[in-house]
Amino acid sequence: MNERIINELIESFGKLLMAGLKVSLPLTIASFSAGLIIAFLVALAQIAKVPVLRHLVRVYVWIIRCTPMIVQLFIVYFGLPSIGIKFNSFVSAWLVMSLSVGAYCSETVRAAIQSVPVGQLEACYCDGLTFWQGMMHVIVPQALRTAFPPLSNSIIGLVKDTSLAYSVALVEILATAQRIAARTYDYFWLYLEAGLIYLIICSVLTVIQSRAEAALERRR
Amino acid sequence: MLELKNVHKQFGDNVVLKDVSLKVEKGDVVAILGPSGSGKTTLLRCAGYLNRADSGRLVIGDKEFDLKKIAGKDLLDYRSRVGFVFQSFNLYGNKTALGNVTLGLTVAQKMKKDEAEEIGRKLLERVGLSDRVDYYPSKLSGGQQQRVAIARALATNPEVVFFDEPTSALDPELTGEVLNVIKSLADDGVTMIVVTHEMEFARKVATRVVFMENGEIVEENNSKDFFEHPQKERTKEFIYKSSTWASDTQIDGSGI
């Protein structure tokens, strides 16, 4: 490792980090938020045993879980344009990753909702609350507390999965590293640096997770 | 002032309530007794609109509700007239004692937060828990939790409070504090219907007693006559078996 490489790594570090903060992290947050909403609705459809919907969501979970994410990305980004539906890289990745989070987290959310005794919802009804009010004020806050550790796991997994969006021309951390290395042929060092950036982001998230868990624990 | 009219309920082919009717005067404390599976809890849950009756009506004060379907504004009106206390307390785990009492007032009845909290504090004081206002349910004993639940049921100043076996989930030592609170409400003239297995409570606190079996009311009387002069054979047998643990009772339950 000579001085040239050291200088190159220092210079590229900022670029990779910015790619992480400007592309990978926003993609993670946008996908995870949308995915959680999907997961919640899927969980409700299963809990409430909504006749047709319940089977539809099972098919959805089945398809998403049993096909590789990179294939899904290719279908959306390279496949859909041939039938006239065109999304840019970021939107394609966001769609696929939201659907993925929705499918994987629906079981977590369902179990967490069902861990809150159903009697509390009945008590909400007696208090004059509607189903949705009871969910928002009583059931979901408690379910989220239960679901927090597994959901944190999912969000950290998602940060790493965003690297797959490289394959649909999204210039995120890995693609940025690849572009720099293509000029200098220092693939080994650049990819190591890309790995380091993921390590840093996920470590920060891990610290936030344990602090948040401790804070939640104090409030009960 | 409160009347249940022809409440009918079946689960599949199993008829749980056979056109049950019941009239309750203001200030009455009605104890509903009966063996397991007699339909007493289902009657209370239908009257409390936690289960939908197949048919039946409930008159409270000047309003009549269809227990098959109450919706929209009627439902909120109905909920504010009826309080419900569960066997398993069902306190909101993410709310303090005060939060439990005020949630319905602020969210459903759209009351201002400080007004609701004033009511909440008064009610918690009434059930003897003014020093536990900020405690979460997990930090309260079973008896304390049930008293919070009673305060919560009273929040809208309802015209009647339904109790579903309020002491069945409690340690024997803790039943007293809950029954005392219910008794103090009775002394204040709160109208209550209590499904219970506590014979002493039915005898001493209830003004009327209803005995149910197989989805029907078998006998109904004021509490003194119910226990001292039961009319039906089945009622006599029930009182005898429940009130005594007589050494001369055979294992199969046959008498004396």
Short mmCIF file of all heavy atoms in Angstrom, two decimals, chain B residues 198-239:
data_model
loop_
_atom_site.label_atom_id
_atom_site.label_comp_id
_atom_site.label_asym_id
_atom_site.label_seq_id
_atom_site.Cartn_x
_atom_site.Cartn_y
_atom_site.Cartn_z
N GLU B 198 -69.23 -14.92 43.85
CA GLU B 198 -69.09 -14.57 45.26
C GLU B 198 -70.47 -14.56 45.93
O GLU B 198 -71.20 -13.57 45.85
CB GLU B 198 -68.44 -13.19 45.41
CG GLU B 198 -67.04 -13.09 44.88
CD GLU B 198 -66.02 -13.68 45.85
OE1 GLU B 198 -66.34 -13.82 47.06
OE2 GLU B 198 -64.91 -14.02 45.39
N MET B 199 -70.81 -15.65 46.58
CA MET B 199 -72.14 -15.75 47.18
C MET B 199 -72.32 -14.71 48.29
O MET B 199 -73.39 -14.12 48.44
CB MET B 199 -72.37 -17.15 47.75
CG MET B 199 -72.32 -18.23 46.69
SD MET B 199 -73.58 -18.01 45.43
CE MET B 199 -74.95 -18.86 46.22
N GLU B 200 -71.27 -14.49 49.05
CA GLU B 200 -71.35 -13.51 50.14
C GLU B 200 -71.67 -12.13 49.61
O GLU B 200 -72.46 -11.38 50.17
CB GLU B 200 -70.03 -13.47 50.92
CG GLU B 200 -69.89 -14.55 51.94
CD GLU B 200 -71.05 -14.56 52.92
OE1 GLU B 200 -71.20 -13.59 53.69
OE2 GLU B 200 -71.83 -15.55 52.88
N PHE B 201 -71.00 -11.81 48.48
CA PHE B 201 -71.22 -10.52 47.86
C PHE B 201 -72.67 -10.40 47.40
O PHE B 201 -73.35 -9.40 47.63
CB PHE B 201 -70.27 -10.35 46.67
CG PHE B 201 -70.53 -9.12 45.86
CD1 PHE B 201 -70.08 -7.88 46.30
CD2 PHE B 201 -71.23 -9.18 44.66
CE1 PHE B 201 -70.32 -6.74 45.55
CE2 PHE B 201 -71.47 -8.05 43.92
CZ PHE B 201 -71.02 -6.83 44.38
N ALA B 202 -73.17 -11.45 46.73
CA ALA B 202 -74.55 -11.45 46.24
C ALA B 202 -75.52 -11.28 47.42
O ALA B 202 -76.51 -10.55 47.35
CB ALA B 202 -74.85 -12.74 45.49
N ARG B 203 -75.19 -11.93 48.52
CA ARG B 203 -76.06 -11.90 49.69
C ARG B 203 -76.06 -10.52 50.35
O ARG B 203 -77.12 -9.99 50.69
CB ARG B 203 -75.55 -12.94 50.69
CG ARG B 203 -76.55 -13.44 51.69
CD ARG B 203 -75.87 -14.36 52.68
NE ARG B 203 -75.48 -15.65 52.10
CZ ARG B 203 -76.24 -16.74 52.18
NH1 ARG B 203 -77.42 -16.71 52.76
NH2 ARG B 203 -75.83 -17.87 51.66
N LYS B 204 -74.87 -9.93 50.46
CA LYS B 204 -74.76 -8.72 51.28
C LYS B 204 -74.85 -7.42 50.50
O LYS B 204 -75.33 -6.42 51.01
CB LYS B 204 -73.44 -8.74 52.06
CG LYS B 204 -73.49 -9.76 53.18
CD LYS B 204 -72.22 -9.76 53.98
CE LYS B 204 -72.31 -10.77 55.12
NZ LYS B 204 -71.00 -11.29 55.48
N VAL B 205 -74.33 -7.39 49.29
CA VAL B 205 -74.29 -6.13 48.55
C VAL B 205 -75.41 -6.02 47.52
O VAL B 205 -76.00 -4.96 47.33
CB VAL B 205 -72.92 -5.94 47.86
CG1 VAL B 205 -72.87 -4.62 47.11
CG2 VAL B 205 -71.80 -5.99 48.90
N ALA B 206 -75.70 -7.14 46.85
CA ALA B 206 -76.71 -7.08 45.79
C ALA B 206 -78.09 -6.79 46.37
O ALA B 206 -78.42 -7.23 47.46
CB ALA B 206 -76.73 -8.40 45.02
N THR B 207 -78.87 -5.99 45.62
CA THR B 207 -80.26 -5.77 46.03
C THR B 207 -81.16 -6.82 45.38
O THR B 207 -82.15 -7.23 45.92
CB THR B 207 -80.75 -4.37 45.60
OG1 THR B 207 -80.52 -4.22 44.20
CG2 THR B 207 -79.98 -3.28 46.35
N ARG B 208 -80.75 -7.25 44.18
CA ARG B 208 -81.51 -8.29 43.50
C ARG B 208 -80.57 -9.40 43.04
O ARG B 208 -79.39 -9.16 42.77
CB ARG B 208 -82.23 -7.73 42.27
CG ARG B 208 -83.27 -6.69 42.57
CD ARG B 208 -84.08 -6.35 41.33
NE ARG B 208 -84.91 -7.45 40.88
CZ ARG B 208 -86.04 -7.83 41.49
NH1 ARG B 208 -86.46 -7.19 42.56
NH2 ARG B 208 -86.74 -8.83 41.01
N VAL B 209 -81.10 -10.59 42.95
CA VAL B 209 -80.31 -11.71 42.48
C VAL B 209 -81.05 -12.40 41.34
O VAL B 209 -82.26 -12.60 41.40
CB VAL B 209 -80.02 -12.73 43.60
CG1 VAL B 209 -79.22 -13.92 43.06
CG2 VAL B 209 -79.25 -12.07 44.74
N VAL B 210 -80.31 -12.71 40.28
CA VAL B 210 -80.87 -13.43 39.14
C VAL B 210 -80.10 -14.73 39.03
O VAL B 210 -78.87 -14.74 39.05
CB VAL B 210 -80.69 -12.60 37.85
CG1 VAL B 210 -81.03 -13.43 36.62
CG2 VAL B 210 -81.52 -11.33 37.91
N PHE B 211 -80.83 -15.83 38.94
CA PHE B 211 -80.17 -17.13 38.79
C PHE B 211 -80.43 -17.66 37.39
O PHE B 211 -81.57 -17.78 36.96
CB PHE B 211 -80.69 -18.11 39.84
CG PHE B 211 -80.09 -19.49 39.70
CD1 PHE B 211 -78.74 -19.69 39.94
CD2 PHE B 211 -80.87 -20.57 39.31
CE1 PHE B 211 -78.17 -20.95 39.79
CE2 PHE B 211 -80.31 -21.83 39.16
CZ PHE B 211 -78.96 -22.02 39.40
N MET B 212 -79.36 -17.95 36.68
CA MET B 212 -79.49 -18.41 35.29
C MET B 212 -79.00 -19.83 35.12
O MET B 212 -78.07 -20.26 35.78
CB MET B 212 -78.66 -17.52 34.35
CG MET B 212 -79.28 -16.18 34.05
SD MET B 212 -78.31 -15.26 32.83
CE MET B 212 -78.68 -16.17 31.32
N GLU B 213 -79.65 -20.52 34.21
CA GLU B 213 -79.14 -21.83 33.79
C GLU B 213 -79.63 -22.14 32.39
O GLU B 213 -80.77 -21.78 32.04
CB GLU B 213 -79.60 -22.94 34.75
CG GLU B 213 -78.94 -24.27 34.41
CD GLU B 213 -79.07 -25.29 35.54
OE1 GLU B 213 -80.18 -25.45 36.06
OE2 GLU B 213 -78.05 -25.92 35.87
N ASN B 214 -78.79 -22.75 31.58
CA ASN B 214 -79.12 -23.11 30.20
C ASN B 214 -79.70 -21.95 29.40
O ASN B 214 -80.66 -22.12 28.65
CB ASN B 214 -80.11 -24.28 30.18
CG ASN B 214 -79.52 -25.52 30.82
OD1 ASN B 214 -78.30 -25.75 30.72
ND2 ASN B 214 -80.35 -26.28 31.51
N GLY B 215 -79.11 -20.77 29.58
CA GLY B 215 -79.53 -19.64 28.76
C GLY B 215 -80.86 -19.03 29.14
O GLY B 215 -81.44 -18.26 28.36
N GLU B 216 -81.35 -19.37 30.33
CA GLU B 216 -82.62 -18.80 30.76
C GLU B 216 -82.51 -18.31 32.20
O GLU B 216 -81.69 -18.81 32.97
CB GLU B 216 -83.73 -19.85 30.69
CG GLU B 216 -84.15 -20.20 29.30
CD GLU B 216 -85.15 -21.36 29.29
OE1 GLU B 216 -84.85 -22.42 29.86
OE2 GLU B 216 -86.23 -21.18 28.70
N ILE B 217 -83.37 -17.35 32.55
CA ILE B 217 -83.43 -16.94 33.94
C ILE B 217 -84.34 -17.92 34.67
O ILE B 217 -85.51 -18.07 34.31
CB ILE B 217 -83.94 -15.49 34.06
CG1 ILE B 217 -82.87 -14.54 33.49
CG2 ILE B 217 -84.24 -15.16 35.53
CD1 ILE B 217 -83.27 -13.08 33.52
N VAL B 218 -83.79 -18.63 35.64
CA VAL B 218 -84.57 -19.62 36.36
C VAL B 218 -85.37 -18.94 37.47
O VAL B 218 -86.55 -19.20 37.66
CB VAL B 218 -83.65 -20.70 36.98
CG1 VAL B 218 -84.44 -21.68 37.82
CG2 VAL B 218 -82.87 -21.43 35.89
N GLU B 219 -84.71 -18.07 38.21
CA GLU B 219 -85.38 -17.39 39.30
C GLU B 219 -84.79 -16.02 39.51
O GLU B 219 -83.59 -15.80 39.29
CB GLU B 219 -85.26 -18.22 40.59
CG GLU B 219 -86.10 -17.66 41.73
CD GLU B 219 -86.27 -18.65 42.88
OE1 GLU B 219 -86.04 -19.86 42.68
OE2 GLU B 219 -86.61 -18.18 43.98
N GLU B 220 -85.63 -15.10 39.96
CA GLU B 220 -85.19 -13.72 40.12
C GLU B 220 -85.94 -13.16 41.30
O GLU B 220 -87.15 -13.33 41.42
CB GLU B 220 -85.57 -12.97 38.83
CG GLU B 220 -85.10 -11.55 38.79
CD GLU B 220 -85.73 -10.79 37.62
OE1 GLU B 220 -86.29 -11.42 36.70
OE2 GLU B 220 -85.67 -9.56 37.66
N ASN B 221 -85.20 -12.55 42.24
CA ASN B 221 -85.88 -12.03 43.42
C ASN B 221 -85.00 -10.99 44.09
O ASN B 221 -83.84 -10.82 43.73
CB ASN B 221 -86.18 -13.18 44.39
CG ASN B 221 -87.46 -12.93 45.17
OD1 ASN B 221 -87.86 -11.78 45.38
ND2 ASN B 221 -88.10 -14.00 45.59
N ASN B 222 -85.56 -10.30 45.12
CA ASN B 222 -84.66 -9.46 45.90
C ASN B 222 -83.73 -10.39 46.67
O ASN B 222 -84.05 -11.56 46.92
CB ASN B 222 -85.43 -8.51 46.81
CG ASN B 222 -86.20 -9.24 47.89
OD1 ASN B 222 -85.60 -9.89 48.75
ND2 ASN B 222 -87.51 -9.16 47.84
N SER B 223 -82.57 -9.85 47.03
CA SER B 223 -81.52 -10.76 47.47
C SER B 223 -81.88 -11.50 48.76
O SER B 223 -81.57 -12.67 48.94
CB SER B 223 -80.20 -9.98 47.54
OG SER B 223 -79.72 -9.88 48.82
N LYS B 224 -82.60 -10.83 49.65
CA LYS B 224 -82.97 -11.46 50.92
C LYS B 224 -83.86 -12.69 50.67
O LYS B 224 -83.55 -13.80 51.11
CB LYS B 224 -83.72 -10.44 51.78
CG LYS B 224 -83.98 -10.88 53.20
CD LYS B 224 -84.44 -9.68 54.03
CE LYS B 224 -84.59 -10.04 55.50
NZ LYS B 224 -85.72 -10.94 55.75
N ASP B 225 -84.93 -12.48 49.90
CA ASP B 225 -85.86 -13.59 49.65
C ASP B 225 -85.22 -14.67 48.79
O ASP B 225 -85.53 -15.86 48.94
CB ASP B 225 -87.13 -13.08 48.96
CG ASP B 225 -87.99 -12.28 49.94
OD1 ASP B 225 -87.82 -12.49 51.15
OD2 ASP B 225 -88.79 -11.45 49.49
N PHE B 226 -84.34 -14.25 47.89
CA PHE B 226 -83.69 -15.22 47.01
C PHE B 226 -82.95 -16.26 47.85
O PHE B 226 -83.04 -17.45 47.61
CB PHE B 226 -82.73 -14.53 46.05
CG PHE B 226 -82.02 -15.49 45.13
CD1 PHE B 226 -82.57 -15.86 43.91
CD2 PHE B 226 -80.78 -16.04 45.48
CE1 PHE B 226 -81.93 -16.74 43.06
CE2 PHE B 226 -80.13 -16.94 44.65
CZ PHE B 226 -80.71 -17.29 43.43
N PHE B 227 -82.19 -15.77 48.84
CA PHE B 227 -81.40 -16.71 49.64
C PHE B 227 -82.22 -17.38 50.74
O PHE B 227 -81.98 -18.53 51.08
CB PHE B 227 -80.19 -16.00 50.24
CG PHE B 227 -79.11 -15.72 49.23
CD1 PHE B 227 -78.92 -14.44 48.74
CD2 PHE B 227 -78.32 -16.75 48.74
CE1 PHE B 227 -77.93 -14.19 47.80
CE2 PHE B 227 -77.34 -16.51 47.79
CZ PHE B 227 -77.15 -15.22 47.31
N GLU B 228 -83.20 -16.64 51.29
CA GLU B 228 -83.93 -17.22 52.42
C GLU B 228 -85.13 -18.06 52.00
O GLU B 228 -85.48 -19.03 52.66
CB GLU B 228 -84.35 -16.09 53.38
CG GLU B 228 -83.14 -15.59 54.17
CD GLU B 228 -83.46 -14.36 55.00
OE1 GLU B 228 -84.67 -14.06 55.16
OE2 GLU B 228 -82.51 -13.70 55.46
N HIS B 229 -85.76 -17.65 50.88
CA HIS B 229 -86.93 -18.41 50.42
C HIS B 229 -86.86 -18.70 48.94
O HIS B 229 -87.71 -18.24 48.16
CB HIS B 229 -88.22 -17.62 50.72
CG HIS B 229 -88.30 -17.12 52.12
ND1 HIS B 229 -88.52 -17.96 53.19
CD2 HIS B 229 -88.17 -15.87 52.63
CE1 HIS B 229 -88.52 -17.23 54.31
NE2 HIS B 229 -88.30 -15.96 54.00
N PRO B 230 -85.87 -19.46 48.53
CA PRO B 230 -85.81 -19.78 47.09
C PRO B 230 -87.04 -20.61 46.70
O PRO B 230 -87.49 -21.46 47.47
CB PRO B 230 -84.52 -20.60 46.96
CG PRO B 230 -84.21 -21.09 48.33
CD PRO B 230 -84.79 -20.11 49.29
N GLN B 231 -87.57 -20.32 45.49
CA GLN B 231 -88.82 -20.96 45.08
C GLN B 231 -88.59 -22.27 44.34
O GLN B 231 -89.23 -23.27 44.61
CB GLN B 231 -89.62 -20.00 44.16
CG GLN B 231 -89.92 -18.66 44.80
CD GLN B 231 -90.79 -18.80 46.05
OE1 GLN B 231 -91.85 -19.43 46.00
NE2 GLN B 231 -90.34 -18.22 47.16
N LYS B 232 -87.63 -22.24 43.41
CA LYS B 232 -87.45 -23.40 42.53
C LYS B 232 -86.48 -24.41 43.16
O LYS B 232 -85.54 -24.03 43.85
CB LYS B 232 -86.89 -22.95 41.18
CG LYS B 232 -87.74 -21.91 40.48
CD LYS B 232 -88.69 -22.57 39.48
CE LYS B 232 -89.72 -21.64 38.89
NZ LYS B 232 -89.19 -20.47 38.23
N GLU B 233 -86.70 -25.68 42.87
CA GLU B 233 -85.83 -26.74 43.38
C GLU B 233 -84.37 -26.52 42.97
O GLU B 233 -83.45 -26.67 43.76
CB GLU B 233 -86.29 -28.10 42.85
CG GLU B 233 -87.38 -28.76 43.68
CD GLU B 233 -87.08 -28.77 45.18
OE1 GLU B 233 -85.96 -29.19 45.54
OE2 GLU B 233 -87.93 -28.32 45.97
N ARG B 234 -84.20 -26.13 41.68
CA ARG B 234 -82.83 -25.95 41.15
C ARG B 234 -82.10 -24.84 41.90
O ARG B 234 -80.90 -24.94 42.19
CB ARG B 234 -82.92 -25.63 39.65
CG ARG B 234 -81.58 -25.43 38.99
CD ARG B 234 -80.76 -26.73 39.00
NE ARG B 234 -79.41 -26.50 38.45
CZ ARG B 234 -78.31 -26.33 39.17
NH1 ARG B 234 -78.38 -26.35 40.48
NH2 ARG B 234 -77.15 -26.15 38.59
N THR B 235 -82.85 -23.80 42.24
CA THR B 235 -82.24 -22.69 42.96
C THR B 235 -81.83 -23.12 44.36
O THR B 235 -80.73 -22.81 44.84
CB THR B 235 -83.23 -21.52 43.06
OG1 THR B 235 -83.87 -21.36 41.79
CG2 THR B 235 -82.53 -20.23 43.42
N LYS B 236 -82.70 -23.87 45.01
CA LYS B 236 -82.38 -24.36 46.36
C LYS B 236 -81.11 -25.19 46.34
O LYS B 236 -80.21 -25.02 47.17
CB LYS B 236 -83.54 -25.24 46.88
CG LYS B 236 -84.74 -24.44 47.28
CD LYS B 236 -85.86 -25.38 47.75
CE LYS B 236 -87.16 -24.62 47.85
NZ LYS B 236 -88.33 -25.49 47.98
N GLU B 237 -81.04 -26.07 45.35
CA GLU B 237 -79.88 -26.94 45.23
C GLU B 237 -78.60 -26.10 45.02
O GLU B 237 -77.57 -26.34 45.66
CB GLU B 237 -80.10 -27.88 44.03
CG GLU B 237 -79.01 -28.91 43.84
CD GLU B 237 -79.11 -29.57 42.46
OE1 GLU B 237 -80.03 -29.26 41.69
OE2 GLU B 237 -78.22 -30.38 42.16
N PHE B 238 -78.70 -25.10 44.15
CA PHE B 238 -77.54 -24.25 43.84
C PHE B 238 -77.07 -23.52 45.09
O PHE B 238 -75.88 -23.49 45.39
CB PHE B 238 -77.91 -23.25 42.74
CG PHE B 238 -76.77 -22.36 42.34
CD1 PHE B 238 -75.80 -22.81 41.45
CD2 PHE B 238 -76.65 -21.08 42.86
CE1 PHE B 238 -74.74 -22.00 41.07
CE2 PHE B 238 -75.58 -20.26 42.49
CZ PHE B 238 -74.63 -20.73 41.59
N ILE B 239 -78.01 -22.93 45.81
CA ILE B 239 -77.64 -22.18 47.02
C ILE B 239 -77.02 -23.11 48.05
O ILE B 239 -75.99 -22.80 48.66
CB ILE B 239 -78.87 -21.46 47.60
CG1 ILE B 239 -79.34 -20.38 46.62
CG2 ILE B 239 -78.56 -20.84 48.96
CD1 ILE B 239 -80.67 -19.77 47.00
#
